[in-house]
Amino acid sequence: MGLAVLVGVVGCGAAGTSGNSGVHKTIRVEGSDTLVNVAQAWAERYHMSQPGVSVQVLGGGSGVGIASLIDGNCDIANTSRSMKPDEMETVRARRSVDAVETIAALDALAVLVHAQNPRESITIDELAEIFGDGGQTVKWSQLGVTDLPGGHDKIIRVGRQNSSGTYAFFREIVLGKKRDFKLGSIDAHGSKDAVLLIARTPGAIGYSGMGYITTGVKALAISRRRGDPAIEPTIENARNGTYPLTRPLELYTAGPPQGAIKEYIEWILSPKGQKIVLEQGYVPVRDHE
Amino acid sequence: MNDQASSGGNRRRRSSAAAWLLRASETAMEWLIYACGWSAIFFVFAIFIFVLGQAAPMLFGKLDFIEFFTSTEWQPTSEVRPRFGILALLVGTLSVTALAMAICVPLGLGAAVFISEFCGGKFKEGLKITIELLAAIPSVVWGFIGVTVLGPILVETAGAPVGVNLLNGGIILALMSAPVIVSVGEDSLKAVPDSYREAGLALGASRWEIVYRVLFPAAKNGLLAAVLLGVGRAIGETMAVLMVTGHAVQIPTSLMDPVRTLTATIASELGEAVKGGEHYRVLFVIGLVLFAITFVVNLTSDLVVKGIRHER
């Protein structure tokens, strides 16, 4: 259920003020749905160690988080894409400081097929012919797959809504800057919905963050071109940069983070915070516990 | 004498104070109701003006209307060239609504006839309550049923390549619109005077003949209004269609093709569209298109219902 905006308020006023500082602080975090589970877990764990600080996490998407940062409605914007130049400009104009990014984790986009699909790997070129505008691959038999359950042959492309960060990232890596997606894909609203649909559809192929993989789907290994070694979407491969579909997950603040927000971001990058990244199925950027 | 006069004066004074209070509260109540009535109109206009205002920069000037209505290319976030063609979305909305109506009009009107003419007592009351309950199911729950129950059934039995498609959307929307059609249809059949039925019986008509030859013509405006209200419900539905139609930008060529509707497009894309950008504004233009469609449907059903009153 992508539409439902995840709301998590960790520790409300009365419970929080029992901390020794006596001053209660709330940090408002908003943005990417990809990051929302991790952000939620960070918030809960941080509140346990720092009862005087509560962190309020909202989802809605990278764009929503950035818009909120521009309007001053949140302290940290979570994004699964870098800020666009015009967004940077707006932050400067409205908040009179520059937006500052912190890479908090990495996400590897997995290319997913139905669990019973015999295919184990795929090249970027093959993906481009499936997903790209004008691409000619429409049947699994064109890819040498002839024994899908139920005798299905048609490739069912499962994408994301065209305003999502995941959509833009997949397009940039697989199709390049100068090519659009082929229309007619099933545009799932949220990564969870996409994975759920692929698991129920024998002929499906789609993409989502590595953290969303379930037992009903299979993640394909990816090679940059025919003949290159196929790279599995694993944490090691994402961290050492060999897996092609890896992207940074960022925290943006208006101006350099200060005070409680600075402490919070430092904690996220500490081994404790990075361990949560790993637990949630994403890739840590620093050493973890 | 004097005593009596003064006590009479008191009574008169008291009663005039009471009357004043009564009149004041009456006037206040009248104004309150007046304000309630006007607030509905005010809000509709406020919403319309807001949507128009958000859409205006695209609507007047930048938007190519020929492309907007005739192109199937919906690529609002393209890096190459953003394209705003809503033909596929328009066809999606119309096809899923038409399919839903094809399923639920016979079903809904049949149920209305059955409830109004062929059953009575506790069974009738039970049926009416159950159907009203059907209208109370939230659309997201309908969506879940479509995705988790109906979808797999379509894949396994009908051999659909994917379970979320036009047929799934049509069936779910039909079930959602049926309660409106049944309850309004039943009301309009009930409004046909019993003398009509008695006259039919006296002429030796069978019960089916009475329904077909007497009740349908007599209640035709009400039944038409019921259908149009169902159409309005189906066009406006968002959450359930977002989940069960497959949300794919294409003109369907079979019942098993995924489609995408206008409402679902707004719901899924508005949240992350850059505020004030072209994509954002075009979504508001789509809102205006939906406004126009529902306005025409509602106006038609209003005029039809007015037609009934004139006949009486």
Side-chain angles (χ1 to χ4, degrees):
Chain A
M1 275 325 310
L3 253 194
V5 175
L6 257 164
V7 183
V9 183
V10 180
C12 298
T17 42
S18 58
N20 45 16
S21 68
V23 183
H24 183 72
K25 288 203 178 73
T26 301
I27 300 174
R28 296 161 305 166
V29 179
E30 196 169 342
S32 167
D33 282 326
T34 310
L35 258 171
V36 82
N37 289 339
V38 187
Q40 197 79 28
W42 278 331
E44 279 166 25
R45 218 70 69 79
Y46 191 66
H47 184 67
M48 272 186 241
S49 61
Q50 299 282 327
V53 181
S54 54
V55 183
Q56 189 184 353
V57 180
L58 294 172
S62 303
V64 173
I66 292 167
S68 212
L69 188 73
I70 289 168
D71 293 338
N73 291 331
C74 72
D75 303 309
I76 300 174
N78 292 338
T79 66
S80 56
R81 60 170 170 84
S82 292
M83 254 192 203
K84 295 172 192 160
D86 59 320
E87 288 168 336
M88 291 280 208
E89 203 59 52
T90 321
V91 172
R92 200 170 302 141
R94 296 279 298 276
R95 304 290 299 269
S96 55
V97 280
D98 282 329
V100 175
E101 68 163 11
T102 309
I103 296 179
L106 298 174
D107 181 24
L109 272 195
V111 173
L112 304 172
V113 293
H114 190 263
Q116 281 162 295
N117 192 313
R119 216 41 212 255
E120 294 293 340
S121 68
I122 197 158
T123 68
I124 295 276
D125 290 342
E126 283 172 325
L127 283 175
E129 278 308 289
I130 294 170
F131 283 98
D133 200 9
Q136 295 300 315
T137 311
V138 293
K139 294 196 164 99
W140 280 106
S141 50
Q142 289 171 279
L143 294 166
V145 176
T146 50
D147 46 355
L148 286 174
H152 292 288
D153 191 23
K154 193 178 176 196
I155 295 177
I156 303 292
R157 288 164 288 135
V158 179
R160 290 290 310 281
Q161 78 270 24
N162 55 35
S163 45
S164 92
T166 312
Y167 170 98
F169 175 65
F170 189 84
R171 179 174 67 190
E172 187 186 324
I173 303 293
V174 173
L175 305 178
K177 292 247 180 235
K178 286 279 154 239
R179 197 167 176 190
D180 283 320
F181 275 108
K182 195 194 297 181
L183 289 170
S185 61
I186 294 182
D187 303 331
H189 198 87
S191 297
K192 236 178 214 161
D193 284 6
V195 174
L196 210 73
L197 186 67
I198 296 166
R200 284 174 205 283
T201 311
I205 184 166
Y207 51 89
S208 85
M210 229 170 66
Y212 290 89
I213 297 174
T214 61
T215 49
V217 297
K218 178 159 72 177
L220 298 179
I222 294 177
S223 48
R224 284 181 195 274
R225 56 186 69 79
R226 195 179 293 274
D228 279 8
I231 314 290
E232 300 268 353
T234 60
I235 285 163
E236 300 80 67
N237 291 340
R239 239 181 129 178
N240 65 26
T242 52
Y243 185 70
L245 293 172
T246 308
R247 63 174 164 172
L249 300 176
E250 286 151 296
L251 312 179
Y252 278 96
T253 49
Q258 279 164 354
I261 298 166
K262 187 179 179 215
E263 283 168 28
Y264 181 54
I265 291 181
E266 279 169 358
W267 178 84
I268 285 174
L269 296 173
S270 76
K272 274 199 177 66
Q274 292 293 299
K275 184 183 164 211
I276 294 168
V277 172
L278 192 66
E279 281 170 7
Q280 296 288 331
Y282 295 99
V283 183
V285 282
R286 303 268 183 92
D287 288 336
H288 54 85
E289 265 182 1
Chain B
M1 258 321 252
N2 255 348
D3 272 10
Q4 265 181 343
S6 79
S7 86
N10 264 341
R11 211 178 300 139
R12 217 172 299 133
R13 219 171 299 136
R14 218 178 297 139
S15 75
S16 81
W20 181 84
L21 206 67
L22 197 70
R23 229 178 307 124
S25 69
E26 182 88 8
T27 318
M29 215 50 171
E30 260 172 38
W31 276 100
L32 189 69
I33 291 168
Y34 195 67
C36 286
W38 276 100
S39 73
I41 295 174
F42 171 76
F43 283 126
V44 169
F45 272 95
I47 290 169
F48 180 75
I49 286 165
F50 170 74
V51 175
L52 189 66
Q54 293 294 317
M58 274 311 266
L59 197 59
F60 306 112
K62 270 199 222 155
L63 191 64
D64 176 359
F65 280 96
I66 294 170
E67 189 193 34
F68 187 64
F69 285 111
T70 61
S71 162
T72 58
E73 294 269 310
W74 177 249
Q75 296 273 22
T77 59
S78 168
E79 300 265 325
V80 187
R81 184 178 81 86
R83 275 149 291 164
F84 306 103
I86 63 160
L87 182 62
L89 314 180
L90 210 56
V91 172
T93 287
L94 296 181
S95 61
V96 84
T97 305
L99 182 63
M101 289 305 117
I103 298 168
C104 84
V105 166
L107 216 69
L109 292 186
V113 168
F114 179 70
I115 291 173
S116 150
E117 306 301 319
F118 291 91
C119 72
K122 286 217 172 100
F123 186 49
K124 181 173 178 169
E125 287 312 307
L127 259 182
K128 282 176 76 171
I129 290 168
T130 315
I131 285 168
E132 267 148 36
L133 216 65
L134 208 62
I137 297 175
S139 62
V140 66
V141 174
W142 282 116
F144 267 123
I145 294 170
V147 171
T148 58
V149 181
L150 195 54
I153 291 175
L154 290 178
V155 170
E156 275 154 35
T157 61
V162 60
V164 284
N165 53 33
L166 175 58
L167 183 60
N168 194 333
I171 293 172
I172 292 292
L173 267 189
L175 289 171
M176 293 179 76
S177 317
V180 182
I181 296 188
V182 176
S183 52
V184 178
E186 197 248 329
D187 283 345
S188 65
L189 286 173
K190 208 167 59 188
V192 176
D194 273 343
S195 56
Y196 283 36
R197 295 182 182 83
E198 285 154 11
L201 282 173
L203 287 171
S206 69
R207 289 176 99 178
W208 167 240
E209 282 169 334
I210 289 173
V211 168
Y212 184 63
R213 314 277 293 260
V214 178
L215 294 179
F216 275 2
K220 70 170 188 293
N221 286 337
L223 297 176
L224 197 57
V227 171
L228 288 174
L229 282 173
V231 171
R233 174 93 178 84
I235 289 177
E237 175 49 41
T238 304
M239 197 59 223
V241 291
L242 173 58
M243 295 168 78
V244 305
T245 55
H247 207 52
V249 184
Q250 61 181 3
I251 289 184
T253 52
S254 90
L255 285 180
M256 299 302 173
D257 277 349
V259 295
R260 189 201 271 218
T261 65
L262 295 166
T263 50
T265 301
I266 298 177
S268 116
E269 293 175 12
L270 189 62
E272 288 190 67
V274 179
K275 216 173 162 185
E278 285 192 356
H279 183 198
Y280 178 86
R281 302 227 181 271
V282 169
L283 290 173
F284 275 93
V285 178
I286 294 183
L288 285 179
V289 172
L290 272 169
F291 228 123
I293 296 174
T294 43
F295 180 72
V296 168
V297 171
N298 282 4
L299 192 72
T300 317
S301 63
D302 265 9
L303 291 177
V304 166
V305 171
K306 273 226 180 70
I308 304 178
R309 286 207 205 108
H310 277 292
E311 272 178 25
R312 295 273 149 78

